[in-house]
């Protein structure tokens, strides 16, 4: 009914497992007894927010506790009303090192602090501490201040990682809010066109957004684009290629081709900040995997220990071996059930023990080459890295790797391809 | 609970396809042609296949033990080499031939270079080439007439392969050649060629049974369509042009279904280890195989060119790969 399906060359089609949670309406997790909010909520290369509260201070829900100072940083707010118990370094789940966190004990007082009324939409987005909620966590206000003109805003509703359905549920339940958020961002960007991209198997989301798009009465042109269900379509570069046939130059970001891409939940958070003056202190998280008793989509306060979330979902099954923040293809395995969630935590997946096959020698089958969405030669890159030829690997596109994991997923010899690319990139820095 | 949690790099899920899945899919795909070879050439064919397969597995294990490598005879790759080598032998070869061939394929071509993934030419084809130069009489005269039906109508042809007969007649009996060409382009002969009731190496005679396996591999995405398609298309077009521009040329279909072309295009020119990993490189590889095969068949000293053309292209693989890298996104 919406014409041809959009796609890009390469990629994989793993089993989606979305049926576990796609019909689970968003539920709110009861207020946690305490939260551990990290001041570092942006991308790893960004800088931490600076604490503006101290132990013993009483804070309201939504009150700013960390100021966004530094080049890539964003303010942090208290997700609950309570008392600051501790501010010290805790192990950060994504940075892989200790980082400053704020432990707040819930006092059960429901009063909420709102953003100042007299701010412009862009200032509200900055003050609300909104970051890319698809997993990348780049500060949204920076993304909405492009150095070059942008003609198209793409709302990324592809959610191509298996298991995750949070963005899907937001689109099903809050289509008007998402469209309003998109409109605000398009106005800030002075973009003439908004594309909302959804994968073809998300029928309810397509219907929900589609029916509301028709009633849009705006100078900005809204377009619903339905794409093939393929991973990693949600990757910015793949999405831009699929929907607009534009290629972001190597080493550059989407502005170069006049595009800005924003995730669905980021868009929803923009709506809440601009229209309800609400800072970003909670988000929808998909709790799923074969290790959880009752998979759910939950609205969770940032900084909630995953133990509480797991208990609310009927507890974990015996033999859970891995807890993952995000999807199974790019998500990060966290070391303990006491890890707190972050602004960019899209999902919490619990996987039970599976026999992992040991890696062996490459048989040169070329499957990694055929799935690489960046058209790299993963097996050759791997060989170069093994031989410590880092300069050569860079020439062959090591830094163009988006770490989507398609190559490692598909490798019949079970070689840790992405793993070696990540380590080589880190080594090169 | 906490101390049992694993922290490892993404991706946290893997495709179920592993090396065994790929290799044993090829073994399964070879089964129709295997049954066909026993049907056409009798129990002797089965004995050669068993000897070749078992000795390949044995030599793989022994070589790996000798070189201190992990024993991986269960991965299916040695079994494929054994089967393919047997498929490339005339049905009447002495029984030591498959054993010597396996030893050459596995020990010298495969394990000397580092085992699966490191050999630069196809082991089964290299062994066949080695056997042809070492025991030419066994390798070129050991053909048996198929038990059921044959090329029909021409005396003595059942001892040779259609391609041998074509080349020998052209060179030694030019007066009989036009008649043979028209006969070989006729429907009954093409039908026998397609279904396999002709003389030839054990597993190469039935294009039909090999195609069954080849299509199975394509559907299951075990092999890439690029090489078989570009290889067969090149052979088809060259033989078509040959037929258009030269008198006394056989039908392009004769070239497609005779010799080891189908076997080579689907099962040997697709051997992962020795072909380019780049998509464009694979197309060039297939075209190269096609051109060389037809050059050898039409102008060369051998009646059949599949084996040598694939081996030659194997050697060019690193070179092709270097010049056919895909353009990186955004560059």
């Amino acid at each position: 009914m919406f014409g041809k399906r959009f796609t890009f060359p390469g990629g994989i089609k793993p089993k989606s497992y979305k049926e576990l949670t796609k019909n689970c309406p968003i539920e709110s997790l009861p207020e946690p007894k305490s939260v551990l909010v990290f001041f570092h909520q942006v991308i790893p290369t960004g800088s931490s927010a600076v604490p503006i509260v101290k132990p013993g201070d009483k804070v309201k829900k939504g009150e700013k506790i960390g100021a966004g100072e530094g080049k890539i940083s964003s303010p942090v707010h208290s997700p609950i009303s309570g008392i600051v118990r501790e501010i010290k370094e805790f192990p950060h789940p994504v940075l892989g090192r200790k980082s400053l966190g704020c432990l707040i004990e819930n006092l059960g007082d429901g009063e909420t602090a709102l953003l100042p009324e007299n701010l412009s939409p862009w200032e509200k987005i900055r003050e609300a501490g909104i970051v890319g909620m698809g997993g990348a966590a780049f500060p949204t206000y920076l993304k909405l201040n492009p150095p070059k003109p942008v003609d198209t805003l793409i709302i990324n509703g592809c959610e191509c990682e298996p298991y995750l359905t949070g963005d899907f549920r937001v689109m099903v339940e809050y289509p008007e809010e998402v469209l309003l958020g998109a409109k605000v961002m398009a106005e800030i960007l002075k973009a003439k066109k908004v594309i909302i991209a959804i994968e073809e198997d998300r029928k309810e989301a397509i219907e929900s957004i589609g029916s509301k798009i028709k009633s849009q009465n705006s100078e900005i042109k809204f377009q619903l684009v339905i794409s093939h269900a393929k991973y990693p379509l949600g990757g910015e570069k793949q999405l831009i290629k699929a929907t607009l046939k534009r290629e972001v130059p190597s080493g550059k970001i989407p502005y170069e081709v006049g595009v800005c891409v924003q995730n669905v939940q980021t868009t929803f958070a923009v709506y809440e900040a601009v229209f309800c003056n609400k800072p970003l202190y909670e988000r929808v998280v998909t709790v799923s995997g074969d290790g959880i008793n009752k998979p759910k989509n939950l609205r969770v306060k940032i900084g909630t220990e995953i133990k509480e979330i797991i208990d609310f979902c009927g507890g974990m099954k015996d033999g859970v071996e891995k807890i993952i923040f995000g999807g199974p293809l790019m998500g990060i395995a966290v070391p303990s059930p006491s890890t707190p969630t972050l602004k960019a935590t899209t999902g919490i997946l619990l996987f039970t023990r599976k026999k992992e096959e040991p890696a062996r020698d490459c048989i040169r089958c070329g499957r990694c080459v055929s799935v690489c969405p960046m058209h790299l030669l993963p097996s050759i890159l791997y060989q170069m890295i093994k031989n410590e030829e880092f300069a050569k690997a860079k020439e062959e596109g090591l830094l163009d790797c988006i770490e989507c994991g398609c190559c490692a997923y598909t490798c019949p010899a079970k070689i840790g391809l992405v793993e070696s690319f990540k380590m080589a990139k880190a080594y090169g820095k | 609970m906490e101390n049992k949690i694993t922290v490892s790099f993404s991706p946290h899920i893997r495709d179920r396809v592993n090396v065994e899945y790929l290799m044993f899919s090829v073994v399964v795909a070879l089964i129709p042609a295997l049954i066909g070879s026993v049907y056409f050439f009798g129990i002797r064919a089965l004995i050669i296949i068993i000897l070749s397969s078992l000795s390949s597995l044995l030599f793989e294990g022994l070589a790996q033990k000798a070189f201190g490598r992990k024993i991986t005879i269960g991965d299916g790759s040695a079994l494929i080499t054994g089967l393919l080598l047997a498929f490339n032998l005339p049905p009447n070869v002495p029984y030591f031939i498959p054993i010597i061939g396996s030893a050459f394929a596995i020990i010298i071509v495969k394990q000397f270079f580092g085992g699966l993934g490191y050999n630069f030419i196809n082991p089964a084809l290299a062994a066949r080439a080695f056997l042809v130069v070492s025991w030419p009489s066994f390798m070129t005269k050991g053909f048996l007439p198929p038990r059921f039906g044959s090329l029909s109508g021409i005396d003595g042809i059942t001892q040779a392969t259609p391609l041998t007969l074509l080349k020998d007649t052209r060179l030694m009996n030019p007066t009989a050649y036009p008649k043979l060409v028209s006969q070989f382009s006729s429907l009954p002969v093409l039908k026998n060629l397609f279904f396999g009731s002709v003389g030839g190496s054990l597993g190469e005679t039935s294009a039909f049974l090999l195609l069954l396996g080849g299509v199975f591999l394509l559907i299951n995405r075990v092999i890439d369509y690029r090489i078989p398609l570009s290889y067969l298309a090149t052979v088809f077009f060259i033989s078509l042009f040959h037929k258009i521009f030269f008198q006394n040329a056989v039908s392009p279909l004769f070239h497609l279904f005779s010799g080891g072309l189908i076997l080579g295009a689907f099962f040997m020119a697709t051997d992962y280890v020795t072909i380019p990993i780049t998509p464009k490189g694979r197309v060039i590889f297939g075209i190269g195989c096609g051109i060389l095969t037809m050059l050898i068949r039409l102008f060369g000293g051998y009646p059949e060119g599949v084996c040598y053309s694939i081996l030659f292209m194997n050697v060019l693989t690193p070179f092709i790969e270097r010049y056919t890298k895909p353009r990186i996104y955004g560059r």
Side-chain angles (χ1 to χ4, degrees):
Chain A
M1 81 191 211
F2 292 99
K4 85 181 197 39
R5 301 290 189 257
F6 289 79
T7 192
F8 65 94
I12 54 174
K13 289 180 180 175
K15 195 171 176 326
S16 89
Y17 294 100
K18 289 187 194 278
E19 66 284 354
L20 289 172
T21 49
K22 73 185 287 251
N23 295 321
C24 302
I26 300 165
E27 287 176 63
S28 284
L29 182 77
E31 295 237 327
K33 289 182 282 296
S34 66
V35 287
L36 172 56
V37 184
F38 281 102
F39 289 102
H40 195 130
Q41 293 281 353
V42 297
I43 56 166
T45 50
S47 40
S48 173
V50 179
I52 52 172
V53 289
K54 54 186 189 307
D57 284 358
K58 274 196 171 182
V59 289
K60 282 186 200 166
K61 185 195 288 187
E63 190 178 322
K64 187 148 90 170
I65 57 171
E69 286 167 21
K71 205 171 164 213
I72 302 175
S73 71
S74 178
V76 175
H77 303 78
S78 174
I80 53 175
S81 297
I83 185 161
V84 177
R85 285 295 179 207
E86 262 186 297
I87 292 181
K88 64 165 193 176
E89 300 228 307
F90 294 91
H92 192 288
V94 170
L95 295 177
R97 57 178 156 85
K98 286 194 166 185
S99 179
L100 212 54
C102 180
L103 187 68
I104 304 168
E105 193 189 321
N106 200 332
L107 293 182
D109 183 344
E111 203 186 336
T112 306
L114 294 174
L115 297 169
E117 287 277 356
N118 53 354
L119 300 177
S120 72
W122 184 77
E123 287 168 326
K124 280 186 185 172
I125 291 166
R126 186 189 64 197
E127 280 307 302
I130 300 173
V131 298
M133 290 162 80
F138 191 83
T140 304
Y141 74 95
L142 288 175
K143 243 181 156 178
L144 293 176
N145 186 18
K148 287 191 175 182
V150 164
D151 59 54
T152 310
L153 167 69
I154 301 179
I155 303 301
N156 183 355
C158 286
E159 206 172 33
C160 56
E161 282 259 16
Y163 293 95
L164 304 183
T165 55
D167 291 356
F168 169 79
R169 288 309 310 180
V170 169
M171 288 189 285
V172 171
E173 297 178 37
Y174 302 99
E176 266 171 292
E177 289 81 351
V178 170
L179 291 175
L180 277 169
K183 196 176 159 198
V184 168
M185 288 195 286
E187 280 163 1
I188 294 171
L189 291 164
K190 299 190 181 71
K192 289 180 220 51
K193 190 173 169 189
V194 176
I195 288 176
I196 294 139
I198 307 178
E199 293 192 338
E200 62 185 340
D201 56 348
R202 318 294 144 74
K203 298 215 165 49
E204 295 90 336
I206 291 168
E207 278 163 28
S208 154
I209 294 278
S211 65
K212 293 288 186 267
I213 270 190
K214 280 178 206 148
S215 57
Q216 283 287 316
N217 192 6
S218 141
E219 303 232 318
I220 300 159
K221 193 181 156 228
F222 277 72
Q223 188 194 352
L224 178 61
V225 159
I226 300 164
S227 64
H228 277 293
K230 186 158 95 169
Y231 176 89
L233 195 66
E236 278 191 342
K237 292 184 176 186
Q238 281 59 49
L239 194 54
I240 294 169
K241 173 90 177 174
T243 54
L244 295 167
K245 299 275 166 276
R246 298 181 198 171
E247 264 188 34
V248 181
S250 172
K252 297 282 168 56
I253 42 179
Y255 306 129
E256 289 296 324
V257 291
V259 184
C260 178
V261 181
Q262 298 283 0
N263 161 268
V264 164
Q265 291 208 46
T266 312
T267 310
F268 183 74
V270 164
Y271 159 81
E272 288 195 313
V274 173
F275 293 91
C276 317
N277 299 313
K278 183 181 160 188
L280 174 59
Y281 56 76
E282 59 184 359
R283 66 161 296 149
V284 178
V285 176
T286 301
V287 189
S288 191
D290 62 1
I292 192 83
N293 279 317
K294 286 187 213 135
K296 283 178 190 294
N297 284 302
L298 289 179
R299 186 177 288 106
V300 173
K301 300 278 184 297
I302 310 296
T304 306
E305 277 189 22
I306 48 187
K307 249 187 314 213
E308 288 203 36
I309 300 169
I310 291 166
D311 288 345
F312 187 73
C313 295
M316 65 168 102
K317 291 180 187 164
D318 286 342
V320 166
E321 191 217 6
K322 260 191 193 181
I323 301 176
I324 294 154
F325 268 20
L329 287 161
M330 287 187 84
I332 285 173
V334 296
S336 127
S338 58
T339 311
T341 62
L342 301 168
K343 287 180 183 177
T345 305
T346 51
I348 296 166
L349 303 182
L350 281 78
F351 286 157
T352 55
R353 198 168 297 272
K354 276 197 198 87
K355 204 177 74 196
E356 265 192 34
E357 283 185 67
R360 48 180 134 186
D361 289 339
C362 172
I363 58 167
R364 290 179 38 87
C365 64
R367 290 167 94 87
C368 56
V369 176
S370 64
V371 298
C372 179
M374 299 304 287
H375 315 315
L376 305 172
L377 304 177
S379 62
I380 306 250
L381 275 179
Y382 174 76
Q383 204 55 49
M384 289 173 180
I385 291 163
K386 244 172 89 180
N387 299 341
E388 301 196 9
E389 299 166 316
F390 294 108
K392 218 167 143 189
K394 272 186 190 168
E395 231 171 87
E396 297 297 321
L398 174 65
L399 301 182
D400 289 284
C401 169
I402 58 167
E403 301 175 15
C404 64
C406 288
C407 53
Y409 171 84
T410 203
C411 177
K414 312 295 166 192
I415 298 169
L417 292 161
V418 199
E419 187 177 325
S420 83
F421 304 153
K422 282 183 184 171
M423 292 205 282
K425 281 188 193 177
Y427 181 88
K429 265 170 200 159
Chain B
M1 186 77 246
E2 289 203 21
N3 54 5
K4 281 187 192 158
I5 284 178
T6 313
V7 179
S8 61
F9 280 99
S10 63
H12 306 286
I13 50 170
R14 295 289 192 118
D15 196 6
R16 72 193 170 91
V17 171
N18 58 13
V19 174
E20 281 80 10
Y21 174 94
L22 296 175
M23 296 295 169
F24 283 101
S25 297
V26 177
V27 172
V28 168
L30 288 170
I31 287 174
L34 190 156
I35 294 169
S37 72
V38 179
Y39 173 81
F40 292 124
F41 302 115
I43 202 73
R44 207 167 195 290
L46 189 63
I47 295 171
I48 291 172
I49 291 167
I50 291 172
L51 278 177
S52 176
S53 307
L54 285 183
S55 47
S56 280
L57 290 169
L58 180 74
F59 291 129
E60 174 108 327
L62 288 177
Q64 285 176 329
K65 208 163 167 78
F67 292 135
R69 297 194 183 120
K70 220 180 134 212
I71 309 282
T72 58
I73 54 172
D75 68 12
S77 67
L79 182 58
I80 293 177
T81 300
L83 288 172
L84 288 178
L85 173 64
F87 277 24
N88 275 285
L89 299 177
N92 216 12
V93 288
Y95 291 137
F96 74 89
I97 288 281
I99 299 172
I100 298 278
S102 296
F104 185 85
I106 298 289
I107 299 172
I108 295 178
V109 184
K110 190 176 176 191
Q111 293 297 337
F112 270 18
F113 286 91
L116 180 62
Y118 297 101
N119 50 296
F120 68 99
I121 50 176
N122 186 308
L125 286 178
R128 182 190 177 270
F130 162 75
L131 293 170
V132 169
V133 293
S134 305
W135 286 277
S137 58
F138 294 143
M139 291 298 289
T140 54
K141 295 196 177 65
F143 298 106
L144 282 176
R147 281 203 299 183
F148 308 92
S150 73
L151 276 181
S152 75
I154 307 163
D155 282 335
I157 67 150
T158 47
Q159 291 294 328
T161 72
L163 281 169
T164 321
L165 192 69
L166 192 70
K167 185 146 263 177
D168 288 353
T169 312
R170 199 183 78 203
L171 297 176
M172 289 175 306
N173 194 359
T175 48
Y177 185 63
K179 193 175 161 232
L180 188 70
V181 164
S182 72
Q183 200 152 18
F184 275 4
S185 302
S186 72
L187 213 56
V189 170
L190 289 175
K191 203 184 104 200
N192 275 348
L193 261 180
F194 183 71
F195 288 105
S197 286
V198 293
S201 295
L202 269 187
E204 72 174 24
T205 58
S206 175
F208 171 69
L209 296 175
L210 290 164
L211 279 170
L212 279 186
V215 169
F216 167 79
L217 294 182
L218 286 177
I219 291 172
N220 283 305
R221 292 167 169 251
V222 173
I223 57 170
D224 186 355
Y225 69 93
R226 289 181 180 85
I227 287 179
L229 195 72
S230 58
Y231 193 168
L232 296 178
T234 306
V235 167
F236 178 80
F237 284 113
I238 292 178
S239 50
L240 185 68
F241 286 128
H242 187 249
K243 181 146 183 69
I244 292 171
F245 292 113
F246 292 88
Q247 285 181 323
N248 288 328
V250 287
S251 154
L253 290 179
F254 177 85
H255 277 294
L256 280 186
F257 301 141
S258 62
L261 183 63
I262 302 289
L263 178 66
F266 283 94
F267 294 94
M268 293 186 294
T270 54
D271 165 37
Y272 302 135
V273 184
T274 55
I275 60 170
I277 58 169
T278 58
K280 236 188 259 169
R282 289 180 173 180
V283 176
I284 291 170
F285 185 94
I287 294 173
C289 285
I291 293 172
L292 288 169
T293 299
M294 288 314 288
L295 283 178
I296 296 171
R297 282 188 182 183
L298 297 177
F299 309 109
Y302 286 103
E304 158 70 330
V306 171
C307 170
Y308 289 101
S309 54
I310 295 175
L311 285 174
F312 185 81
M313 294 308 290
N314 284 163
V315 179
L316 288 187
T317 286
F319 178 78
I320 298 172
E321 213 167 76
R322 188 173 315 150
Y323 291 100
T324 54
K325 282 176 199 158
R327 183 183 63 83
I328 296 170
Y329 174 110
R331 283 204 187 170

